């Protein structure tokens, strides 16, 4: 009798252990795969899920249609490398050290891919990282050195550098799909970072897209000829104007020989020199003979028109032409991104990966598409500050959802970790988006975001500034060689044309946001002392 009882207890013990193992396995299998897509300088205005005036992007839109579209997503510092460092660490730039494109990243910082790798995820990265040559926490990678190139790009790999013939957006997708093909049957979940170079400047579309879009005309933004009245010094002195600062060769694809044959052109714009070579010739000469033959007819057409018409045009006509030339190439680059997102989504469907894969699409920041007469980014103003964001998570996110809460790239690391059932480090500074994604909005706590831009004096000459942004208002302080404040009513003045900081009607708003900004700076560990530290470090590096 005693032996029977002992036998029963032993069987129950085995049963419990077996059940525990099965439960653990079940939880592990339920962890989603994650594909994190980041494009470079992709303006939300150039995604038809937000606005279809400029381009149709059906494949990118599909992520929003089958998931959630964020209308108030933004960044902490609108410039490439700092934004990517914030995405990886979940921390503001003054903490991770990558305050601009030149300052070094603090390599002691822990990134979310490292944490996922340590917790059983297979990790990979293909495309543009922009800093470093050995990304932490990544099992497999092929990344572009620095900005990379559109034509026949070079890649950094664990085995050494390699150059691949073709167009960068297609190649990055090929690498991504090849990796998925090898890993799709693994028992372990994966986290894949699919990182596009496009549509970063200088915009070199694939030859067929170059031809197609060069024949199109696009609507102009209302503020194309902005005179910056009712704005501060920063807007008036920035060097991002299409007419005055966009390069003829580097940007508009005017051959150096064309300008030489014309005896020079006005307004004069300093040519972009890239490693001793002009901004047109260097990227163009990456093309082989066959590729150059494909680009030649479109380049001939652009240059012949320019040579015939430019000298007889007034400044307004020149501004309009430069805008069209810019937006044609920019959107042509995006068209390739959209096509390749379609390839990825179709692959997931065809290989039964869609149901258990979170797909995130975003950009490292926004971009000016002629608004205020500008190109580039950097400012706290919306076209630069806001970024596209959409997330698809089958059976978790209600398809077609739209969310207007103030979310940031600061939040991505914690969101991805929580989705993967991994606890985020306490020193991460964002807020997980999971409550919003799962329609538990009452658990969301943030009503304002913090922004800080550092890279000045430098290219584009956008002054240093920090600020606070809510759904209703935006307060910014420009500093270093000025001491100016700006306030915008985001509801009444969505194009941010009128600084109301000194308007008596907004006195209470100024007081409230000023105090709230001080608290935010304290919460995130930013301060006047930190500002001065980075100014001194910048001045030290530029004087030696």
């Amino acid at each position: 009798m005693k032996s029977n009882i002992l036998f029963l207890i032993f069987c129950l013990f085995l049963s419990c252990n077996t059940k525990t193992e099965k439960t653990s396995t079940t939880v592990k299998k339920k962890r989603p795969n994650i594909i994190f897509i980041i494009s470079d300088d992709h303006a939300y205005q150039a995604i038809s899920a937000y606005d279809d005036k400029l381009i149709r992007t059906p494949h990118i839109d599909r992520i929003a249609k089958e998931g959630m579209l964020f209308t108030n997503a933004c960044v902490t510092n609108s410039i490439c490398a700092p934004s990517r460092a914030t995405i990886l660490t979940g921390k503001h730039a003054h903490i991770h050290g990558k305050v601009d494109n030149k300052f070094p990243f603090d390599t002691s910082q822990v990134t979310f891919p490292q944490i996922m790798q340590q917790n059983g995820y297979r990790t990979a990265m293909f495309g543009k990282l922009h800093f470093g040559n050995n990304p932490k926490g990544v099992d497999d990678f092929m990344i572009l050195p620095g900005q990379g190139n559109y034509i026949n790009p070079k890649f950094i790999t664990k085995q050494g550098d390699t150059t691949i013939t073709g167009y960068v957006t297609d190649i990055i997708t090929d690498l991504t799909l090849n990796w998925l093909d090898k890993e799709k049957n693994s028992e372990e979940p994966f986290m894949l970072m699919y990182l596009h170079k496009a549509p970063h400047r200088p915009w070199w579309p694939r030859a067929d897209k170059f031809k197609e879009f060069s024949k199109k005309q696009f609507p102009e933004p209302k503020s194309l000829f902005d005179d910056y009245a009712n704005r501060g010094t920063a807007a008036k002195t920035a060097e991002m104007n299409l007419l005055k600062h966009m390069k003829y060769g580097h940007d508009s694809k005017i051959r150096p020989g064309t300008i030489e044959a014309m005896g020079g052109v006005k307004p004069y714009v300093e040519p972009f020199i890239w490693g001793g070579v002009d901004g047109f010739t260097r990227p163009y000469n990456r093309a082989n003979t066959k590729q150059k033959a494909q680009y030649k007819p479109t380049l001939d057409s652009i240059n012949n028109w320019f040579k015939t018409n430019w000298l007889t045009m007034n400044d307004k006509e020149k501004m309009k032409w430069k805008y069209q030339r810019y937006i044609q190439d920019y959107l042509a680059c995006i068209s390739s991104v959209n096509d390749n997102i379609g390839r990825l989504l179709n692959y997931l469907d065809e290989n039964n990966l869609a149901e258990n894969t979170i797909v995130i699409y975003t950009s490292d920041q926004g971009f000016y598409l002629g608004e205020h007469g500008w190109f580039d980014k950097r400012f706290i103003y919306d076209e630069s500050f806001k970024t596209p964001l959409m997330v698809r998570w089958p059976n978790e996110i209600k398809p077609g959802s739209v969310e207007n809460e103030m979310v940031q790239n600061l939040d991505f690391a914690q969101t991805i970790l929580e989705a993967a059932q991994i606890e985020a480090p306490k020193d991460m500074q964002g807020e997980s988006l999971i409550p919003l994604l799962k329609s538990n909005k009452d658990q969301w706590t943030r009503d304002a975001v913090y922004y800080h831009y550092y890279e000045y004096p430098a290219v584009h000459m956008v002054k240093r500034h920090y600020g606070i942004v809510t759904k209703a208002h935006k307060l910014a302080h420009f500093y270093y060689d000025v001491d100016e404040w700006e306030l915008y009513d985001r509801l009444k003045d969505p194009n941010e044309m009128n600084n109301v900081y000194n308007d008596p009607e907004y006195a209470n708003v100024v007081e409230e946001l000023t105090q709230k900004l001080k608290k935010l700076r304290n919460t995130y560990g930013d301060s006047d002392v930190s500002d001065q530290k980075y100014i001194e470090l910048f001045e030290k590096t530029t004087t030696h």
Side-chain angles (χ1 to χ4, degrees):
M1 181 73 178
K2 187 175 180 181
S3 61
N4 287 342
I5 292 170
L6 288 172
F7 179 74
L8 281 170
I9 291 170
F10 179 69
C11 287
L12 284 169
F13 175 77
L14 281 179
S15 173
C16 289
N17 270 5
T18 303
K19 189 176 287 186
T20 301
E21 285 176 12
K22 283 182 180 177
T23 302
S24 175
T25 303
T26 301
V27 170
K28 195 173 186 181
K29 281 186 176 179
K30 282 185 178 178
R31 293 200 296 174
N33 303 312
I34 298 164
I35 297 180
F36 194 7
I37 310 167
I38 306 175
S39 56
D40 196 314
D41 292 344
H42 192 172
Y44 63 90
Q45 313 94 287
I47 296 178
S48 48
Y50 289 97
D51 192 331
D52 63 1
K53 287 199 297 287
L54 292 175
I55 190 172
R56 296 291 302 171
T57 52
H59 301 301
I60 297 173
D61 294 355
R62 183 183 162 194
I63 300 169
K65 186 178 180 180
E66 297 175 1
M68 179 175 285
L69 179 76
F70 288 83
T71 59
N72 257 324
C74 59
V75 298
T76 61
N77 183 0
S78 185
I79 186 169
C80 297
S83 176
R84 291 159 189 271
T86 289
I87 288 170
L88 288 170
T89 62
K91 296 175 185 177
H92 277 278
H94 63 277
I95 301 294
H96 60 62
K98 193 70 181 164
V99 297
D100 63 24
N101 280 338
K102 293 183 179 179
F103 266 78
F105 174 67
D106 177 2
T107 55
S108 69
Q109 295 291 328
V110 175
T111 66
F112 80 83
Q114 285 179 281
I115 299 169
M116 298 191 80
Q117 187 185 55
Q118 292 162 4
N119 284 271
Y121 267 77
R122 291 165 295 131
T123 57
M125 179 184 291
F126 299 103
K128 180 185 172 182
L129 175 61
H130 196 171
F131 63 93
N133 57 12
N134 188 18
K136 299 194 295 183
V138 178
D139 298 321
D140 300 298
F141 68 87
M142 290 184 72
I143 58 173
L144 299 166
Q147 296 287 4
N149 288 282
Y150 281 102
I151 304 170
N152 302 334
K154 178 180 175 182
F155 285 87
I156 299 169
T157 77
K158 286 184 176 180
Q159 291 72 40
D161 294 354
T162 186
T163 297
I164 302 177
T165 301
Y167 187 67
V168 70
T169 307
D170 300 330
I171 293 168
I172 291 169
T173 306
D174 292 343
L175 298 173
T176 296
L177 298 184
N178 289 343
W179 186 85
L180 283 171
D181 222 32
K182 293 174 184 175
E183 300 291 331
K184 64 185 177 185
N185 295 319
S186 173
E187 290 297 311
E188 299 297 324
F190 63 78
M191 193 287 296
L192 169 63
M193 298 189 76
Y194 170 42
L195 310 175
H196 282 293
K197 169 184 170 54
H200 194 280
R201 182 189 189 206
W203 309 280
W204 277 89
R206 202 174 62 197
D208 58 328
K209 301 281 188 182
F210 187 39
K211 178 181 178 181
E212 175 191 351
F213 277 77
S214 70
K215 298 176 181 179
K216 296 184 177 186
Q217 291 290 300
F218 296 95
E220 299 169 356
K222 292 180 181 179
S223 59
L224 181 62
F225 294 97
D226 193 349
D227 62 2
Y228 314 114
N230 303 316
R231 255 67 51 79
T233 304
K236 294 179 175 71
T237 58
E239 296 180 358
M240 308 194 306
N241 183 269
L242 292 170
L243 179 63
K244 298 176 182 176
H245 305 114
M246 185 162 271
K247 313 294 187 183
Y248 293 105
H250 185 251
D251 300 313
S252 300
K253 311 299 184 297
I254 304 303
R255 297 174 174 125
T258 299
I259 294 176
E260 186 177 347
M262 294 168 66
V265 293
K266 293 182 180 180
Y268 175 76
V269 181
E270 187 73 30
F272 189 92
I273 302 301
W274 208 352
V277 182
D278 71 86
F280 172 88
T281 302
R282 177 162 175 163
Y284 178 64
N285 275 354
R286 292 192 66 82
N288 58 35
T289 302
K290 181 180 178 181
Q291 290 166 332
K292 285 181 178 179
Q294 293 170 337
Y295 279 104
K296 186 177 185 300
T298 307
L299 287 170
D300 285 347
S301 177
I302 292 167
N303 280 261
N304 289 338
W305 192 98
F306 184 86
K307 190 173 181 179
T308 301
N309 295 281
W310 188 259
L311 297 179
T312 65
M313 295 163 66
N314 61 39
D315 281 354
K316 185 174 183 180
E317 292 169 333
K318 290 176 178 179
M319 181 77 156
K320 286 172 170 283
W321 183 87
K322 273 198 167 184
Y323 167 75
Q324 292 297 332
R325 204 58 293 290
Y326 160 43
I327 212 72
Q328 288 164 354
D329 290 350
Y330 180 89
L331 295 177
C333 291
I334 287 172
S335 182
S336 287
V337 173
N338 177 69
D339 290 349
N340 279 280
I341 298 300
R343 290 178 62 199
L344 173 70
L345 296 178
N346 289 340
Y347 179 92
L348 296 180
D349 291 338
E350 292 161 4
N351 289 274
N352 299 314
L353 289 171
E355 279 298 298
N356 193 41
T357 300
I358 298 173
V359 178
I360 303 168
Y361 186 87
T362 192
S363 174
D364 50 1
Q365 60 262 326
F367 213 69
Y368 292 104
L369 304 184
E371 298 89 357
H372 308 293
W374 289 335
F375 64 102
D376 210 70
K377 56 252 183 181
R378 302 168 194 270
F379 275 111
I380 196 173
Y381 308 139
D382 269 8
E383 292 84 2
S384 162
F385 165 74
K386 288 176 66 175
T387 196
L389 176 62
M390 51 197 76
V391 184
R392 187 182 79 174
W393 190 358
N395 304 313
E396 295 290 347
I397 297 174
K398 181 182 177 182
S401 300
V402 178
E403 181 54 70
N404 71 342
E405 290 296 333
M406 301 295 302
V407 305
Q408 279 190 304
N409 58 349
L410 186 70
D411 305 323
F412 296 162
Q414 282 155 275
T415 302
I416 290 170
L417 290 173
E418 184 173 349
Q421 302 172 29
I422 301 169
E423 185 176 351
K426 302 297 184 190
D427 62 349
M428 284 188 172
Q429 295 182 307
E431 184 170 352
S432 171
L433 305 181
I434 297 298
L436 299 178
L437 296 174
K438 294 189 174 184
S439 300
N440 297 320
K441 203 164 180 173
D442 58 322
Q443 297 176 23
W444 182 254
T445 65
R446 179 195 294 147
D447 63 357
V449 295
Y450 179 63
Y451 181 88
H452 198 156
Y453 175 78
Y454 296 83
E455 192 170 280
Y456 176 86
V459 62
H460 297 303
M461 296 300 284
V462 173
K463 295 186 183 298
R464 294 171 185 249
H465 59 288
Y466 58 82
I468 181 173
V469 185
T470 67
K471 290 179 186 176
H473 298 98
K474 180 179 295 181
L475 177 69
H477 179 222
F478 293 84
Y479 68 97
Y480 182 65
D481 57 357
V482 293
D483 181 10
E484 295 181 3
W485 289 83
E486 296 182 10
L487 175 71
Y488 295 94
D489 188 323
R490 300 186 74 205
L491 303 179
K492 294 181 180 179
D493 179 25
N495 295 321
E496 297 170 320
M497 303 291 283
N498 188 28
N499 173 20
V500 294
Y501 182 80
N502 293 314
D503 187 331
E505 289 187 15
Y506 287 87
N508 290 338
V509 175
V510 168
E511 176 60 27
E512 179 187 347
L513 287 184
T514 301
Q515 293 306 314
K516 203 164 187 174
L517 177 58
K518 288 179 181 177
K519 289 179 181 178
L520 270 186
R521 276 167 66 80
N522 184 60
T523 297
Y524 291 125
D526 205 2
S527 63
D528 292 344
V529 172
S530 178
D531 299 347
Q532 189 58 37
K533 179 186 84 170
Y534 282 111
I535 288 171
E536 290 173 1
L537 286 171
F538 171 81
E539 291 176 341
K540 184 177 180 181
T541 58
T542 54
T543 54
H544 285 79

